[in-house]
Amino acid sequence: MKRYLPLIAFLLVALVGAGVASVVYRTEEAANRARFEVIANEAVDRISNRVNQHIALLVATMSFFEANDGRVTRRALTRFVDGLDLDGEFDGIHGLGFARLSTPADDAEIVREIARNYGIERAVRPATDQALRAPIVMLEPQDARNREALGYDMYAETTRRDAMERAMASGKPRASAPVELVQEITNEKQAGFLVYLPLPLRDARGAGLREHAGFVYAPFRAGDLHAAALNTSYQLPVEVETLDTTGDDARVLYRSEAFDDEETTARYVVSRSIEVAGRQWTLRMHESPGFLRGRTNFYTFIVGAISLLLAAAIAASARWQIKAVESAHALHAISERTVKEKELILQEMKHRLKNAIARILAMARQTGARAASVEEFSDSFTARLQAMANAQDMLTRSRWQKADLRELLCTELDQVFGEALGGDRVAGPRVELDEKQSQAFALTFHELATNTLKYGSGAEPQGRLKVTWRLEGPPRKRMLRLIWTEQTEEAIREPETRGFGSRLIDANIIGELGGRVERSFGETGFSVTITVPHRR
């Protein structure tokens, strides 16, 4: 459980930090949403005000017609419209015009009126099954688009006729549903709408047929209207879709290029409704990329980063504290283990010293019993002590772990013969001996080498000594087999009595290591085969 404390501390602090960051994030999001709603309301106000200004122009034009008793010439209308400067100040409205209310029987008179006003022959179109017509007889300012609209009977088209009838019924400006204007003669078309205001008929001669002389009207291109409204003074960072939602069907009047219809990428969505000349418009808005530019959730990021750093610091501190405690415990354990190991080493040294002293005393007694003189005793005893010392030296260098068989053998042969045997005369795999094996083999090699020097191949000029070894058997029952072979010119007979050297070898190999010793005497030499368990 203790090792999980840093993680638990990190998670708890990070969780608290995440909660605080979440609160900050919600606060920032609420501020951004409130700011966007202000921008959205401003966009709605701009569009609504723009439309109302244009409708006010239409009302002013109606007043101009009424002031002239409905008898306005094309020249007078041109001067009036030029004074308004529609192209410079009122983008979105595509002109101001007059559509005369007539009957199909009046088509010839309408053609003559258009010819008087504009000097062109323009038939009334399209064909209609209605009792009334409302062809456009004047439309200013005059350009290629507006010239195309002259003579068009707006009453013949259902959407326009509905707006005209509502205007006649109410006597107020009424807008049409979205339509494609007759003026859209290029490939770049926009949705449009028209606003109509009925002009009362003041000539008594037509009173029995109808009550209105026609309609003062204005065509609007919705795209130009919205662009002019939203880009006034500065561009608002908002994407807009305007729908005409009057009645059951919602029809798109305008949609900005970057508007996300599915709202899959929008973060802030606002919907507003406005009334435009008797029709309901619904504006759906969401932010543009420029709205959030430079307004990232800075404080959320700062709080989150500080929370993570604090959590990491607390977790690291807890980890360091745990490591410090663990280090103290480990140090205490090492101290206790060192004391125990020291005691074990002292006991081991005591045991080894006792064994060494016992071995030395045994060698001294046996050597003294066979020595003929003090000098012979001294030489023999010193050589055997040196063999023990060689084994001790090799073990000491390996920190009392292992001694190499080849190195131990060569050391003893070098001590006896003056130089070690090499090449194929000493051959075998690398074998490591433990302390007990090292002591036993050191004395065995010394006794064999000394015996060879005195009585065997070492005593003859043509004598030859060869020592080989190998490992045999499966890994768990591995045996070390060492063969000491001497070739001599004269036959070597098996001695009738066993000397101290033979007993010492048997004591080491058989008694100490639990192995066996096989000796072979022949006409051409002598061999000793030593087999012992190989301990890893």
Side-chain angles (χ1 to χ4, degrees):
M1 181 62 183
K2 183 170 60 178
R3 63 178 179 175
Y4 295 116
L5 287 178
L7 178 60
I8 294 173
F10 176 83
L11 293 176
L12 288 176
V13 177
L15 186 61
V16 173
V20 175
S22 176
V23 172
V24 175
Y25 174 78
R26 288 197 296 271
T27 302
E28 288 188 307
E29 284 295 292
N32 287 336
R33 180 172 293 279
R35 186 171 68 89
F36 179 73
E37 289 190 355
V38 171
I39 293 174
N41 290 336
E42 182 178 353
V44 172
D45 290 341
R46 286 188 181 187
I47 294 172
S48 178
N49 292 338
R50 191 86 182 179
V51 173
N52 290 334
Q53 288 175 2
H54 293 173
I55 292 177
L57 291 179
L58 186 65
V59 173
T61 305
M62 171 61 73
S63 298
F64 176 69
F65 270 79
E66 289 180 337
N68 290 277
D69 293 329
R71 300 183 181 88
V72 175
T73 64
R74 184 254 171 146
R75 181 180 179 184
L77 182 61
T78 300
R79 293 181 62 185
F80 177 79
V81 173
D82 288 346
L84 297 177
D85 189 18
L86 296 185
D87 292 337
E89 298 294 333
F90 298 95
D91 289 341
I93 189 170
H94 207 266
L96 291 167
F98 179 69
R100 188 173 300 283
L101 196 61
S102 62
T103 66
D106 299 326
D107 285 356
E109 178 59 28
I110 297 299
V111 170
R112 287 192 293 271
E113 183 176 358
I114 294 174
R116 285 196 307 271
N117 289 334
Y118 295 97
I120 61 174
E121 292 292 332
R122 183 65 56 82
V124 179
R125 64 191 191 284
T128 181
D129 58 356
Q130 299 295 316
L132 296 177
R133 279 189 179 274
I136 301 171
V137 296
M138 287 188 291
L139 183 59
E140 298 296 331
Q142 191 62 197
D143 55 20
R145 289 178 181 270
N146 285 342
R147 185 176 292 107
E148 182 67 22
L150 293 173
Y152 179 74
D153 178 15
M154 293 186 288
Y155 202 81
E157 194 272 318
T158 305
T159 301
R160 292 172 173 84
R161 182 171 62 249
D162 175 71
M164 292 178 180
E165 290 176 349
R166 287 188 291 107
M168 289 188 293
S170 64
K172 297 180 179 180
R174 286 294 179 262
S176 71
V179 296
E180 182 177 304
L181 300 177
V182 182
Q183 289 93 326
E184 296 294 345
I185 59 176
T186 66
N187 293 329
E188 297 181 1
K189 302 182 186 301
Q190 297 180 13
F193 65 97
L194 304 105
V195 178
Y196 299 97
L197 188 58
L199 177 66
L201 181 66
R202 298 183 182 277
D203 190 347
R205 290 177 299 176
L209 178 65
R210 55 189 178 274
E211 299 178 0
H212 298 90
F215 298 91
V216 176
Y217 86 101
F220 293 85
R221 299 185 83 205
D224 293 345
L225 174 70
H226 283 76
L230 297 176
N231 296 333
T232 300
S233 67
Y234 64 92
Q235 185 175 2
L236 294 175
V238 63
E239 304 295 338
V240 180
E241 179 187 59
T242 301
L243 303 173
D244 186 311
T245 54
T246 305
D248 297 332
D249 296 332
R251 300 176 62 183
V252 177
L253 186 64
Y254 169 77
R255 179 183 293 154
S256 56
E257 292 183 2
F259 183 81
D260 186 358
D261 188 37
E262 301 296 330
E263 298 178 356
T264 56
T265 60
R267 293 175 61 179
Y268 312 107
V269 180
V270 173
S271 181
R272 296 286 188 270
S273 294
I274 59 175
E275 192 271 337
V276 176
R279 296 197 71 84
Q280 188 80 12
W281 284 8
T282 299
L283 284 76
R284 297 169 57 203
M285 293 162 284
H286 67 75
E287 78 284 359
S288 66
F291 176 75
L292 292 175
R293 187 175 296 121
R295 291 181 176 270
T296 57
N297 299 100
F298 176 75
Y299 295 106
T300 302
F301 174 77
I302 292 298
V303 171
I306 292 175
S307 299
L308 286 177
L309 290 175
L310 181 60
I314 292 177
S317 176
R319 178 60 179 163
W320 291 334
Q321 292 291 333
I322 292 173
K323 280 190 173 182
V325 174
E326 290 177 348
S327 297
H329 291 165
L331 185 60
H332 179 68
I334 291 173
S335 177
E336 290 184 345
R337 188 167 60 251
T338 301
V339 172
K340 292 180 180 179
E341 289 178 353
K342 183 177 179 181
E343 293 177 354
L344 289 174
I345 291 173
L346 290 176
Q347 292 296 327
E348 182 68 17
M349 289 179 63
K350 181 179 178 181
H351 175 70
R352 293 186 184 192
L353 285 174
K354 289 174 65 176
N355 289 342
I357 292 172
R359 191 186 296 273
I360 292 170
L361 289 175
M363 286 193 304
R365 286 194 298 269
Q366 294 294 331
T367 304
R370 297 293 188 274
S373 63
V374 175
E375 290 78 7
E376 182 181 351
F377 169 80
S378 177
D379 293 340
S380 179
F381 185 67
T382 300
R384 287 170 176 151
L385 285 179
Q386 185 61 46
M388 290 182 63
N390 291 336
Q392 294 293 112
D393 181 60
M394 293 183 66
L395 289 169
T396 302
R397 290 201 305 270
S398 66
R399 297 186 179 180
W400 293 90
Q401 297 298 320
K402 300 291 183 180
D404 184 68
L405 174 61
R406 177 186 290 273
E407 185 179 356
L408 182 62
L409 173 61
C410 291
T411 300
E412 295 300 332
L413 295 178
D414 184 46
Q415 179 183 340
V416 175
F417 294 104
E419 60 179 354
L421 301 179
D424 59 351
R425 300 178 66 185
V426 176
R430 177 178 176 80
V431 176
E432 291 184 338
L433 306 175
D434 60 20
E435 179 193 359
K436 192 174 185 180
Q437 291 172 332
S438 299
Q439 294 283 357
F441 272 104
L443 290 173
T444 298
F445 293 153
H446 175 74
E447 294 300 329
L448 289 172
T450 302
N451 187 69
T452 297
L453 182 62
K454 291 181 179 180
Y455 310 110
S457 60
E460 297 180 357
Q462 300 300 322
R464 183 177 178 84
L465 172 63
K466 183 177 182 180
V467 184
T468 61
W469 64 91
R470 63 179 180 273
L471 295 173
E472 299 176 344
R476 293 186 178 181
K477 296 182 179 180
R478 187 65 56 87
M479 302 296 289
L480 170 61
R481 185 183 298 276
L482 184 141
I483 304 173
W484 179 288
T485 305
E486 299 182 29
Q487 293 181 356
T488 58
E489 297 178 359
E490 298 181 0
I492 299 179
R493 304 298 180 185
E494 184 176 358
E496 296 179 359
T497 60
R498 298 176 61 196
F500 173 67
S502 297
R503 291 196 300 272
L504 183 59
I505 291 173
D506 291 344
N508 283 309
I509 299 302
I510 300 173
E512 291 283 338
L513 304 182
R516 63 179 182 271
V517 180
E518 300 173 5
R519 298 176 177 85
S520 176
F521 300 89
E523 297 294 332
T524 60
F526 164 76
S527 68
V528 178
T529 301
I530 299 174
T531 305
V532 296
H534 178 239
R535 305 184 183 93
R536 286 184 172 274

